[in-house]
Amino acid sequence: MNDTSVKNPLRRGAVLAASLAAAGLLGLGGAPAALAHDTLLSSTPEAGAELDEAPEQIELTFSADIGDGGNAVVVNDPSGKNHAVGEPAVDGPDATVELDELTEAGDYTVAYRMVSSDGHVVEDDFSFALTEDAVAGAEQDGASAEESPASGESAGDGGEQAAGDGASEAPAPSSDPVSLFGPVGGAVIGIALIALVAVVVLRLLRNRSGGSGGDGA
């Protein structure tokens, strides 16, 4: 056995080991991309924002489309009350949840649970704050809404009063027989008056005739 025959297997083993090592490094380099899951890219309101006006909804945008089922968003006020209404509406990578009225100043926590496009569950939370001005504005809007029906009632009272005034100004009933009894009633009354006049005339004629006869005798 010569030195060349011994060196060739050693070289082959060294080359094989180097190839395996290189393949292993390439596999490790691609692992982070393969294991990466969807993440939250942005939100409205933004994390850490301090707002002078209370939001009506929360919008979340992720790095890929959101899957169906198992999605949830909770928005808790400083007292721990949840203000999220129903389940989030999903449109591709965007998720939106409506809020009821936010009436307390302080920090609000948005906690979300989303099913990513690869089936992995993404869970995290962030917070934003409402100032006293935001709460005062919401209370003022509510007070204005409550006063609106009262204005309507005042208008209704004015309408009733106007209707009453109109009723008091209605014309007095007419003394005209035709107006009181209608065309037929007026005709009957006219015939009765003519008959009465005829009776009076006949009586006068009879009285005159009787007087004339008495003088001739």
Side-chain angles (χ1 to χ4, degrees):
M1 180 180 299
N2 55 27
D3 293 341
T4 304
S5 62
V6 174
K7 290 180 180 180
N8 286 338
L10 291 176
R11 286 182 179 177
R12 291 175 181 175
V15 172
L16 180 60
S19 300
L20 292 174
L25 291 175
L26 290 174
L28 291 175
L35 296 176
H37 298 298
D38 298 343
T39 57
L40 180 67
L41 296 181
S42 63
S43 66
T44 304
E46 296 181 353
E50 187 171 332
L51 308 178
D52 292 329
E53 184 176 354
E56 297 180 354
Q57 62 183 15
I58 301 294
E59 299 178 8
L60 307 175
T61 300
F62 293 85
S63 58
D65 290 351
I66 303 168
D68 296 329
N71 301 316
V73 177
V74 175
V75 183
N76 291 332
D77 64 14
S79 300
K81 179 184 176 182
N82 179 26
H83 290 269
V85 179
E87 298 181 356
V90 174
D91 183 12
D94 300 322
T96 304
V97 64
E98 301 296 327
L99 303 177
D100 59 18
E101 187 177 7
L102 307 183
T103 58
E104 187 174 353
D107 293 332
Y108 285 74
T109 301
V110 180
Y112 58 86
R113 180 184 186 277
M114 295 289 165
V115 179
S116 63
S117 55
D118 61 359
H120 180 74
V121 176
V122 180
E123 292 182 295
D124 206 347
D125 62 73
F126 64 90
S127 63
F128 64 90
L130 282 188
T131 64
E132 294 290 345
D133 292 339
V135 175
E139 291 177 350
Q140 184 176 1
D141 292 341
S144 300
E146 290 178 357
E147 291 176 358
S148 296
S151 300
E153 291 175 0
S154 298
D157 294 342
E160 292 176 0
Q161 184 176 359
D165 294 342
S168 63
E169 294 175 1
S174 174
S175 58
D176 186 359
V178 176
S179 299
L180 289 174
F181 302 103
V184 176
V188 172
I189 293 174
I191 294 172
L193 291 175
I194 293 172
L196 179 61
V197 171
V199 170
V200 172
V201 171
L202 289 174
R203 287 184 178 179
L204 290 174
L205 291 174
R206 287 178 182 177
N207 289 337
R208 287 183 179 182
S209 299
S212 300
D215 296 338

